[in-house]
């Protein structure tokens, strides 16, 4: 399949109406996702809208069965964004999960030689392994303070009228070596998670105003 073309637009942080949009079919979702990318002088903003009949907020929660806690089968709504640039060995990957990244940070990782690894630092969630807290909070994941390169992608998510709206934000030039510098043309693909089938490529280019 041929790649989708998308130009980055200048963005004021509020109004998306003038920013170009691409529609992309992600295999794990029934309807096309709507993608927009905007920049200001320092940051990249990436907006994705996912049509979804209902929100799935639990991910492998603890379930009490026969007086023991076992891992449940529910899966959260999620999205993985894979960035690649010509001549670069590393593919940057941002991950949002309705359950695991509900505290404002997306997780940040990378692919190299076809293998996924998390970026340096600590991620934005941790396992809930306290027996005392399990009786109060059946969520298998708790908030954690991300650090280093795993803390440089922020995400806001809201579900309204049958649609998720996700807005990711990261500095165009990260200070970490395991992140791509997003001031040049790049390609982007979307999947439900790191392991599922990806969409066709979105080839992203900068317009004259953004340069």
């Amino acid at each position: 399949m041929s790649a989708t073309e998308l130009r980055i637009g200048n963005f004021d942080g509020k109004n998306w109406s003038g920013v170009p949009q691409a529609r992309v079919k992600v295999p794990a979702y029934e309807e096309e996702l709507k993608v927009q990318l905007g920049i200001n002088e320092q940051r990249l903003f990436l907006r994705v809208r996912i049509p979804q009949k209902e929100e799935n907020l639990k991910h492998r929660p603890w379930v009490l069965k026969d007086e023991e806690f076992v891992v449940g089968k529910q899966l959260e709504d999620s999205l993985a964004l894979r960035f690649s640039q010509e001549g670069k060995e590393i593919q940057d990957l941002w991950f949002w999960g309705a359950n695991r990244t509900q505290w404002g940070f997306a997780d940040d990782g990378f692919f190299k030689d076809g293998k996924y690894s998390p970026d340096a630092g600590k991620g934005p969630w941790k396992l809930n392994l306290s027996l005392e807290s399990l009786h109060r909070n059946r969520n298998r994941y708790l908030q954690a303070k991300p650090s280093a390169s795993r803390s440089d992608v922020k995400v806001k998510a809201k579900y309204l009228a049958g649609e998720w709206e996700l807005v990711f934000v990261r500095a165009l030039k990260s200070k970490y070596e395991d992140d791509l510098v997003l001031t040049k043309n790049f390609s982007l693909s979307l999947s439900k998670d790191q392991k599922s089938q990806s969409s066709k490529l979105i080839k992203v280019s900068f317009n004259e105003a953004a340069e």
Side-chain angles (χ1 to χ4, degrees):
M1 298 177 68
S2 60
T4 298
E5 303 284 343
L6 179 63
R7 286 187 176 272
I8 289 182
N10 288 325
F11 182 57
D12 63 4
K14 297 179 181 179
N15 184 10
W16 285 97
S17 62
V19 179
Q21 174 181 283
R23 289 179 175 268
V24 183
K25 184 68 178 73
V26 176
Y29 286 109
E30 292 183 7
E31 299 186 42
E32 289 181 327
L33 278 58
K34 292 166 278 188
V35 182
Q36 293 170 284
L37 292 107
I39 60 169
N40 61 20
E41 293 180 355
Q42 297 179 326
R43 295 180 177 85
L44 175 81
F45 298 83
L46 194 156
R47 182 191 191 206
V48 183
R49 285 173 288 165
I50 307 173
Q52 188 81 332
K53 293 179 181 178
E54 58 184 24
E55 52 187 341
N56 297 294
L57 300 175
K58 296 181 179 180
H59 187 72
R60 302 291 191 191
W62 291 116
V63 177
L64 190 60
K65 182 179 180 180
D66 298 330
E67 299 184 359
E68 291 185 353
F69 283 104
V70 298
V71 178
K73 296 181 179 180
Q74 294 98 321
L75 296 177
E76 66 190 344
D77 291 328
S78 59
L79 189 69
L81 305 161
R82 192 187 300 200
F83 299 79
S84 56
Q85 283 177 327
E86 187 174 352
K88 299 291 185 179
E89 294 182 352
I90 288 177
Q91 292 181 312
D92 215 343
L93 188 136
W94 304 353
F95 174 78
W96 165 79
N99 183 266
R100 286 173 285 175
T101 66
Q102 62 180 289
W103 299 287
F105 288 89
D107 202 5
D108 196 358
F110 64 91
F111 277 90
K112 185 175 182 180
D113 299 326
K115 181 181 178 181
Y116 173 77
S117 301
D119 279 3
K122 295 182 179 180
W125 69 80
K126 61 184 177 181
L127 281 174
N128 178 12
L129 298 175
S130 168
L131 290 177
E132 180 182 351
S133 68
L134 287 182
H135 290 278
R136 301 195 314 271
N137 182 355
R138 299 288 180 86
N139 192 3
R140 192 158 165 256
Y141 300 92
L142 299 175
Q143 181 177 10
K145 185 178 181 180
S147 65
S149 186
R150 290 178 77 177
S151 69
D152 61 3
V153 181
K154 294 183 179 180
V155 60
K156 290 184 178 180
K158 64 180 180 181
Y159 181 84
L160 183 65
E163 183 178 78
W164 278 108
E165 180 190 49
L166 317 177
V167 178
F168 299 81
V169 184
R170 204 208 77 181
L172 290 166
K173 297 181 180 180
S174 167
K175 61 183 178 180
Y176 301 106
E177 293 183 357
D178 48 16
D179 289 324
L180 293 180
V181 176
L182 300 175
T183 56
K184 300 178 180 179
N185 294 348
F186 57 84
S187 295
L188 172 66
S189 63
L190 292 74
S191 58
K192 193 173 189 300
D193 54 42
Q194 297 95 323
K195 297 180 180 180
S196 60
Q197 184 180 355
S198 295
S199 69
K200 65 181 180 181
L201 283 180
I202 304 172
K203 292 186 177 181
V204 179
S205 60
F206 290 75
N207 60 24
E208 292 181 0
E211 292 174 349

